[in-house]
Amino acid sequence: NAGVMQNPRHLVRRRGQEARLRCSPMKGHSHVYWYRQLPEEGLKFMVYLQKENIIDESGMPKERFSAEFPKEGPSILRIQQVVRGDSAAYFCASSPPAGGPYNEQFFGPGTRLTVL
Amino acid sequence: KQEVTQIPAALSVPEGENLVLNCSFTDSAIYNLQWFRQDPGKGLTSLLLIQSSQREQTSGRLNASLDKSSGRSTLYIAASQPGDSATYLCAGHDSSNTGKLIFGQGTTLQVKP
């Protein structure tokens, strides 16, 4: 059973460009979480999704950031018009549906975004 | 608002020592608690999950305890090895109905051969 997969592992963008980060959860997992780790800071929750639904986006910046988890395909975290402050490691985690949202979360290797 | 604090921020020990990493949280309504390991430039590896109704979990040389009344969790590492060198993170499952994790800042451990 493959773990959580994220791509790309490293992404370089110039200010003003768009960044798309992909996350494929573990097989059978229907809960996806995105977290961000800014340089010298801890991990912060961004958004929690289930298939085709955003459940909690309380950690998402109000502008330029969006997330989706379509019925088919990976979850996408999209950052429009990137700025240098968006440079960070973005981690995706997944958990199984049984037992609700409090199950063990399994993390992907992360995407390290650098904005020039 | 739930906050998670880890002490110490960094720790250096000789190989073979037993050690304890501490984690405290402000809201006793925390649901589950998870301990992770993060190697430099890598993702997070889940070490132990302590469910709300449990007091401790063990996996090999690792033992984690949870005391909700005092707002504390500890990770005990027995007979430390150089390969244990990493940053250790504790995270509480938020008590809201979403299960999002609230992370501490981590303890960076170095085990010297």
Side-chain angles (χ1 to χ4, degrees), chain B residues 13-36:
Chain B
V13 300
E15 183 177 3
E17 266 202 18
N18 301 324
L19 54 101
V20 175
L21 307 182
N22 297 292
C23 172
S24 62
F25 41 92
T26 55
D27 185 355
S28 61
I30 196 168
Y31 205 79
N32 297 338
L33 190 131
Q34 223 170 321
W35 280 92
F36 295 90

Side-chain angles (χ1 to χ4, degrees), chain A residues 19 34 47 49 54 57 60-61 63-68 76-80:
Chain A
W34 286 92
V47 62
L49 309 102
I54 297 174
E57 56 182 348
M60 288 273 274
E63 298 178 349
R64 303 186 297 107
F65 285 73
S66 62
E68 63 177 10
I76 306 286
L77 179 67
R78 182 182 178 206
I79 311 172
Q80 294 178 289

Side-chain angles (χ1 to χ4, degrees), chain B residues 66-82:
Chain B
L66 175 62
D67 184 344
K68 294 178 68 175
S69 62
S70 67
R72 292 182 181 177
S73 177
T74 60
L75 179 67
Y76 176 82
I77 303 176
S80 59
Q81 302 171 358

Side-chain angles (χ1 to χ4, degrees), chain A residues 6-108:
Chain A
Q6 290 188 250
N7 67 78
R9 295 289 303 275
H10 299 273
L11 182 62
V12 178
R13 285 287 179 266
R14 296 191 180 279
R15 283 178 295 169
Q17 292 184 320
E18 179 180 286
R20 283 192 179 224
L21 288 63
R22 296 175 184 77
C23 168
S24 296
M26 289 179 70
K27 187 176 181 180
H29 286 194
S30 59
H31 299 248
V32 167
Y33 299 81
W34 286 92
Y35 296 86
R36 178 166 67 172
Q37 188 173 37
L38 291 164
E40 307 304 323
E41 292 189 22
L43 281 101
K44 305 289 186 188
F45 165 80
M46 298 183 74
V47 62
Y48 164 44
L49 309 102
Q50 295 178 19
K51 282 288 187 182
E52 299 185 279
N53 286 303
I54 297 174
I55 307 301
D56 181 354
E57 56 182 348
S58 59
M60 288 273 274
K62 293 289 185 279
E63 298 178 349
R64 303 186 297 107
F65 285 73
S66 62
E68 63 177 10
F69 189 16
K71 186 177 180 181
E72 302 290 338
S75 175
I76 306 286
L77 179 67
R78 182 182 178 206
I79 311 172
Q80 294 178 289
Q81 298 177 314
V82 296
V83 300
R84 289 213 174 109
D86 296 333
S87 296
Y90 292 82
F91 292 96
C92 167
S94 73
S95 66
Y102 300 111
N103 289 313
E104 187 173 6
Q105 293 183 24
F106 296 88
F107 279 71

Side-chain angles (χ1 to χ4, degrees), chain B residues 10 15 23 25 32 40 46-47 52 91 96 99 103 107:
Chain B
E15 183 177 3
C23 172
F25 41 92
N32 297 338
S46 180
L47 298 174
S52 180
S96 65
F103 280 87
T107 293

